[in-house]
Amino acid sequence: MPIYSSARLAVGDSFNKEKAERGQHRLEIDTEGNWRVLRVMVSREQKRGVLHEKLQILRSVTHSHAGDKMSIIADASLYIKDLQQKIAKLNQEIASAQHANVCQPLVSVGVLDKGFLINVFMDKSCPPGLLACILEAFDEIGLTVLEARATCAGSFRLEAVGEEEGEGLIDAHAVEKAVVQAIKNCPTN
């Protein structure tokens, strides 16, 4: 239990805020309504006991088996660095997962009698100008769009029927690959 000594606080006296934060000073009002500064006298044994308790808590939190103060603190430092590395790794994983979820296109290409049925879906946060990039990719691989429906209300969706300009030069995988590449290379993406 701390031992208190008191001194009356007169006008112009300063109250040491730093000592108050460390628990060495306290303000109290006496029975006459005057402020008094209470200086807390803490024995060395009490300070050692508090420090020992805090070190034991630190030791248990960090799963340290060390016995002396310096080793416990060193283990805690290593534990903190390990946690910081784990946090950085998790933040990277979250960022890459968010990026993958946000702009990952869903592309499916079905084969028709004389062409392909191409479906593209992307999350709403993907940029405008995507349709132009995809249509340019169709043109580059020699695919003529016969019919297309596109919407960008809430998300990007494209359903297109395309016919190849030549005979049997393009397969469904090549069309899918061209669409995915066009989305990746789209300058606004």
Side-chain angles (χ1 to χ4, degrees):
M1 176 100 187
I3 302 167
Y4 298 100
S5 69
S6 66
R8 193 175 246 186
L9 191 62
V11 177
D13 286 350
S14 63
F15 174 69
N16 191 326
K17 185 178 176 185
E18 290 175 8
K19 287 185 177 181
E21 288 172 354
R22 290 192 306 252
Q24 295 174 348
H25 280 176
R26 270 194 212 144
L27 277 180
E28 258 186 24
I29 299 176
D30 64 12
T31 55
E32 299 165 5
N34 298 318
W35 286 97
R36 290 187 171 265
V37 177
L38 295 176
R39 291 185 184 92
V40 180
M41 309 292 223
V42 180
S43 68
R44 286 184 184 161
E45 292 79 25
Q46 288 173 323
K47 287 181 182 178
R48 270 195 211 123
V50 170
L51 178 63
H52 180 74
E53 286 177 37
K54 289 180 180 180
L55 282 172
Q56 292 308 313
I57 292 169
L58 184 62
R59 185 176 168 201
S60 68
V61 168
T62 60
H63 308 291
S64 174
H65 298 290
D68 62 296
K69 288 188 277 187
M70 292 305 294
S71 298
I72 293 171
I73 293 170
D75 287 349
S77 176
L78 292 173
Y79 183 75
I80 290 169
K81 287 179 184 175
D82 183 50
L83 288 176
Q84 288 172 335
Q85 288 174 348
K86 287 179 181 178
I87 289 169
K89 183 180 176 185
L90 287 172
N91 284 337
Q92 287 175 346
E93 288 176 8
I94 289 170
S96 65
Q98 286 175 342
H99 180 71
N101 289 340
V102 169
C103 290
Q104 186 66 36
L106 296 173
V107 179
S108 66
V109 179
V111 179
L112 301 174
D113 287 338
K114 292 187 177 184
F116 303 97
L117 174 63
I118 302 113
N119 288 298
V120 180
F121 173 79
M122 291 191 62
D123 194 1
K124 64 182 176 184
S125 62
C126 289
L130 204 52
L131 181 59
C133 291
I134 294 170
L135 293 176
E136 286 174 8
F138 289 162
D139 192 44
E140 288 173 8
I141 62 170
L143 194 66
T144 303
V145 178
L146 302 175
E147 184 182 334
R149 275 178 270 166
T151 181
C152 56
S155 61
F156 177 82
R157 293 177 189 265
L158 170 66
E159 182 178 271
V161 175
E163 184 178 73
E164 60 183 308
E165 293 169 358
E167 291 279 334
L169 301 173
I170 307 170
D171 66 346
H173 180 70
V175 174
E176 182 178 341
K177 187 176 175 183
V179 171
V180 171
Q181 195 61 42
I183 294 169
K184 286 181 183 177
N185 294 340
C186 188
T188 56
N189 195 11

